CSV table of all heavy atoms in Angstrom, one decimal:
chain,number,residue,atom,x,y,z
A,192,GLN,N,81.2,81.7,119.4
A,192,GLN,CA,82.1,82.8,119.5
A,192,GLN,C,82.7,83.0,120.8
A,192,GLN,O,83.9,83.3,121.0
A,192,GLN,CB,81.4,84.1,119.0
A,192,GLN,CG,81.2,84.1,117.5
A,192,GLN,CD,80.4,85.3,117.0
A,192,GLN,OE1,79.7,85.9,117.8
A,192,GLN,NE2,80.3,85.5,115.7
A,196,PHE,N,86.5,83.4,121.9
A,196,PHE,CA,86.8,84.7,122.5
A,196,PHE,C,87.5,84.5,123.9
A,196,PHE,O,88.5,85.1,124.1
A,196,PHE,CB,85.6,85.6,122.7
A,196,PHE,CG,85.0,86.1,121.4
A,196,PHE,CD1,83.8,86.7,121.4
A,196,PHE,CD2,85.7,86.0,120.2
A,196,PHE,CE1,83.1,87.1,120.3
A,196,PHE,CE2,85.1,86.3,119.0
A,196,PHE,CZ,83.9,87.0,119.1
A,199,LEU,N,90.9,83.2,123.2
A,199,LEU,CA,91.8,84.3,122.7
A,199,LEU,C,92.4,85.1,123.8
A,199,LEU,O,93.5,85.7,123.8
A,199,LEU,CB,91.1,85.2,121.7
A,199,LEU,CG,91.9,86.4,121.2
A,199,LEU,CD1,93.1,85.9,120.4
A,199,LEU,CD2,90.9,87.2,120.3
A,213,THR,N,91.9,81.2,113.8
A,213,THR,CA,90.6,80.6,113.5
A,213,THR,C,89.6,81.8,113.3
A,213,THR,O,88.8,81.8,112.2
A,213,THR,CB,90.1,79.7,114.5
A,213,THR,OG1,91.1,78.7,114.8
A,213,THR,CG2,88.8,79.0,114.1
A,214,LEU,N,89.6,82.8,114.1
A,214,LEU,CA,88.7,83.9,114.0
A,214,LEU,C,88.9,84.7,112.7
A,214,LEU,O,88.0,85.1,112.0
A,214,LEU,CB,88.9,84.7,115.2
A,214,LEU,CG,88.2,84.4,116.5
A,214,LEU,CD1,88.6,85.2,117.7
A,214,LEU,CD2,86.7,84.2,116.4
A,215,CYS,N,90.2,84.9,112.4
A,215,CYS,CA,90.6,85.6,111.2
A,215,CYS,C,90.1,84.8,109.8
A,215,CYS,O,89.5,85.4,109.0
A,215,CYS,CB,92.1,85.8,111.1
A,215,CYS,SG,92.6,87.1,112.3
A,217,LEU,N,87.6,82.7,109.7
A,217,LEU,CA,86.1,82.7,109.7
A,217,LEU,C,85.7,84.1,109.3
A,217,LEU,O,84.6,84.2,108.5
A,217,LEU,CB,85.6,82.4,111.0
A,217,LEU,CG,85.7,80.9,111.5
A,217,LEU,CD1,85.3,80.7,113.0
A,217,LEU,CD2,84.9,80.0,110.7
A,218,HIS,N,86.2,85.2,109.7
A,218,HIS,CA,85.9,86.5,109.3
A,218,HIS,C,86.2,86.8,107.8
A,218,HIS,O,85.6,87.5,107.1
A,218,HIS,CB,86.5,87.5,110.2
A,218,HIS,CG,86.0,88.9,110.1
A,218,HIS,ND1,84.8,89.3,110.5
A,218,HIS,CD2,86.6,89.9,109.4
A,218,HIS,CE1,84.6,90.6,110.3
A,218,HIS,NE2,85.7,91.0,109.6
A,219,ARG,N,87.4,86.2,107.4
A,219,ARG,CA,87.8,86.5,106.1
A,219,ARG,C,86.9,85.8,105.0
A,219,ARG,O,86.6,86.3,104.0
A,219,ARG,CB,89.3,86.0,105.9
A,219,ARG,CG,89.8,86.3,104.5
A,219,ARG,CD,91.2,85.7,104.3
A,219,ARG,NE,91.1,84.2,104.4
A,219,ARG,CZ,90.9,83.4,103.2
A,219,ARG,NH1,90.6,84.1,102.2
A,219,ARG,NH2,90.9,82.1,103.4
A,222,TYR,N,82.0,83.9,107.1
A,222,TYR,CA,81.1,83.0,107.8
A,222,TYR,C,80.7,83.7,109.1
A,222,TYR,O,79.5,83.5,109.6
A,222,TYR,CB,81.7,81.6,108.1
A,222,TYR,CG,82.3,81.0,106.9
A,222,TYR,CD1,83.4,80.2,106.9
A,222,TYR,CD2,81.6,81.1,105.6
A,222,TYR,CE1,83.9,79.5,105.8
A,222,TYR,CE2,82.0,80.5,104.6
A,222,TYR,CZ,83.2,79.7,104.6
A,222,TYR,OH,83.7,79.1,103.5
A,223,TRP,N,81.6,84.4,109.8
A,223,TRP,CA,81.3,85.3,110.9
A,223,TRP,C,81.7,86.7,110.5
A,223,TRP,O,82.7,87.2,111.0
A,223,TRP,CB,82.2,84.8,112.1
A,223,TRP,CG,81.5,83.6,112.8
A,223,TRP,CD1,80.3,83.0,112.5
A,223,TRP,CD2,82.1,82.9,113.9
A,223,TRP,NE1,80.2,82.0,113.3
A,223,TRP,CE2,81.2,81.9,114.2
A,223,TRP,CE3,83.2,83.0,114.6
A,223,TRP,CZ2,81.4,81.0,115.2
A,223,TRP,CZ3,83.5,82.1,115.7
A,223,TRP,CH2,82.6,81.1,116.0
A,224,PHE,N,81.0,87.3,109.7
A,224,PHE,CA,81.3,88.6,109.2
A,224,PHE,C,80.5,89.7,110.0
A,224,PHE,O,79.6,90.3,109.5
A,224,PHE,CB,80.9,88.7,107.7
A,224,PHE,CG,81.6,89.7,106.9
A,224,PHE,CD1,82.9,89.8,106.8
A,224,PHE,CD2,80.9,90.9,106.4
A,224,PHE,CE1,83.6,90.8,106.1
A,224,PHE,CE2,81.4,91.9,105.7
A,224,PHE,CZ,82.8,91.8,105.6
A,225,ASP,N,80.8,89.8,111.2
A,225,ASP,CA,80.0,90.7,112.1
A,225,ASP,C,81.0,91.5,112.9
A,225,ASP,O,82.2,91.4,112.9
A,225,ASP,CB,79.1,89.9,113.1
A,225,ASP,CG,79.9,88.9,113.8
A,225,ASP,OD1,81.0,88.6,113.5
A,225,ASP,OD2,79.2,88.3,114.7
A,226,GLU,N,80.5,92.5,113.7
A,226,GLU,CA,81.2,93.4,114.5
A,226,GLU,C,81.9,92.7,115.7
A,226,GLU,O,83.1,93.1,116.1
A,226,GLU,CB,80.4,94.6,115.1
A,226,GLU,CG,79.9,95.5,114.0
A,226,GLU,CD,79.1,96.6,114.5
A,226,GLU,OE1,78.9,96.6,115.7
A,226,GLU,OE2,78.7,97.5,113.8
A,227,ARG,N,81.3,91.7,116.3
A,227,ARG,CA,81.9,91.0,117.4
A,227,ARG,C,83.1,90.3,117.1
A,227,ARG,O,84.1,90.4,117.7
A,227,ARG,CB,80.9,90.0,118.0
A,227,ARG,CG,79.6,90.6,118.5
A,227,ARG,CD,78.7,89.6,119.2
A,227,ARG,NE,79.1,89.2,120.5
A,227,ARG,CZ,79.4,88.0,120.8
A,227,ARG,NH1,79.4,87.0,119.9
A,227,ARG,NH2,79.9,87.7,122.1
A,228,THR,N,83.1,89.6,115.9
A,228,THR,CA,84.5,89.0,115.5
A,228,THR,C,85.5,90.0,115.1
A,228,THR,O,86.7,89.8,115.5
A,228,THR,CB,84.1,88.1,114.3
A,228,THR,OG1,83.0,87.3,114.6
A,228,THR,CG2,85.3,87.2,113.9
A,229,ALA,N,85.1,91.0,114.4
A,229,ALA,CA,86.2,92.0,114.0
A,229,ALA,C,86.7,92.7,115.3
A,229,ALA,O,87.9,93.0,115.4
A,229,ALA,CB,85.5,93.0,113.1
A,230,ASN,N,85.9,93.0,116.2
A,230,ASN,CA,86.4,93.6,117.4
A,230,ASN,C,87.3,92.7,118.3
A,230,ASN,O,88.2,93.1,118.9
A,230,ASN,CB,85.2,94.1,118.3
A,230,ASN,CG,84.4,95.2,117.7
A,230,ASN,OD1,84.9,96.0,116.9
A,230,ASN,ND2,83.1,95.3,118.0
A,231,ALA,N,86.9,91.4,118.3
A,231,ALA,CA,87.7,90.4,119.1
A,231,ALA,C,89.2,90.4,118.4
A,231,ALA,O,90.2,90.2,119.1
A,231,ALA,CB,87.1,89.1,119.0
A,232,ILE,N,89.2,90.3,117.1
A,232,ILE,CA,90.5,90.3,116.4
A,232,ILE,C,91.3,91.6,116.7
A,232,ILE,O,92.5,91.5,116.9
A,232,ILE,CB,90.3,90.2,114.8
A,232,ILE,CG1,89.6,88.8,114.5
A,232,ILE,CG2,91.6,90.3,114.1
A,232,ILE,CD1,89.2,88.7,113.0
A,233,CYS,N,90.7,92.8,116.6
A,233,CYS,CA,91.4,94.0,116.9
A,233,CYS,C,91.8,94.1,118.4
A,233,CYS,O,92.8,94.7,118.8
A,233,CYS,CB,90.5,95.2,116.6
A,233,CYS,SG,90.1,95.3,114.8
A,234,THR,N,91.0,93.5,119.3
A,234,THR,CA,91.4,93.4,120.6
A,234,THR,C,92.7,92.8,120.9
A,234,THR,O,93.5,93.1,121.8
A,234,THR,CB,90.3,92.7,121.5
A,234,THR,OG1,89.0,93.4,121.2
A,234,THR,CG2,90.5,92.8,123.0
A,329,PRO,N,89.2,94.0,109.0
A,329,PRO,CA,88.3,94.0,110.1
A,329,PRO,C,88.3,95.4,110.9
A,329,PRO,O,87.4,95.6,111.6
A,329,PRO,CB,89.0,93.0,111.1
A,329,PRO,CG,89.8,92.1,110.2
A,329,PRO,CD,90.2,92.9,109.0
A,332,HIS,N,85.0,97.2,110.6
A,332,HIS,CA,83.8,96.8,111.5
A,332,HIS,C,84.2,97.2,112.9
A,332,HIS,O,83.4,96.8,113.8
A,332,HIS,CB,83.6,95.3,111.4
A,332,HIS,CG,82.5,95.0,110.4
A,332,HIS,ND1,82.4,93.7,109.9
A,332,HIS,CD2,81.7,95.7,109.7
A,332,HIS,CE1,81.5,93.6,109.0
A,332,HIS,NE2,81.0,94.8,108.9
A,337,GLN,N,82.3,98.1,122.1
A,337,GLN,CA,82.5,96.7,122.4
A,337,GLN,C,84.0,96.4,122.7
A,337,GLN,O,84.3,95.6,123.7
A,337,GLN,CB,82.1,95.8,121.2
A,337,GLN,CG,80.6,95.9,121.0
A,337,GLN,CD,80.2,95.0,119.8
A,337,GLN,OE1,81.1,94.1,119.4
A,337,GLN,NE2,79.0,95.0,119.4
A,341,ARG,N,85.3,94.9,126.3
A,341,ARG,CA,86.2,93.7,126.4
A,341,ARG,C,87.5,93.8,127.0
A,341,ARG,O,87.9,93.1,127.8
A,341,ARG,CB,86.3,93.2,124.9
A,341,ARG,CG,86.9,91.7,124.8
A,341,ARG,CD,87.0,91.4,123.3
A,341,ARG,NE,85.7,91.5,122.7
A,341,ARG,CZ,84.8,90.6,122.8
A,341,ARG,NH1,85.0,89.5,123.6
A,341,ARG,NH2,83.6,90.6,122.2
Side-chain angles (χ1 to χ4, degrees):
Q192 286 173 349
F196 293 168
L199 178 61
T213 306
L214 286 172
C215 287
L217 290 170
H218 190 73
R219 183 184 68 83
Y222 305 147
W223 281 355
F224 200 66
D225 55 348
E226 293 182 357
R227 297 184 77 237
T228 308
N230 292 332
I232 295 172
C233 297
T234 304
H332 269 161
Q337 295 183 10
R341 191 176 304 281

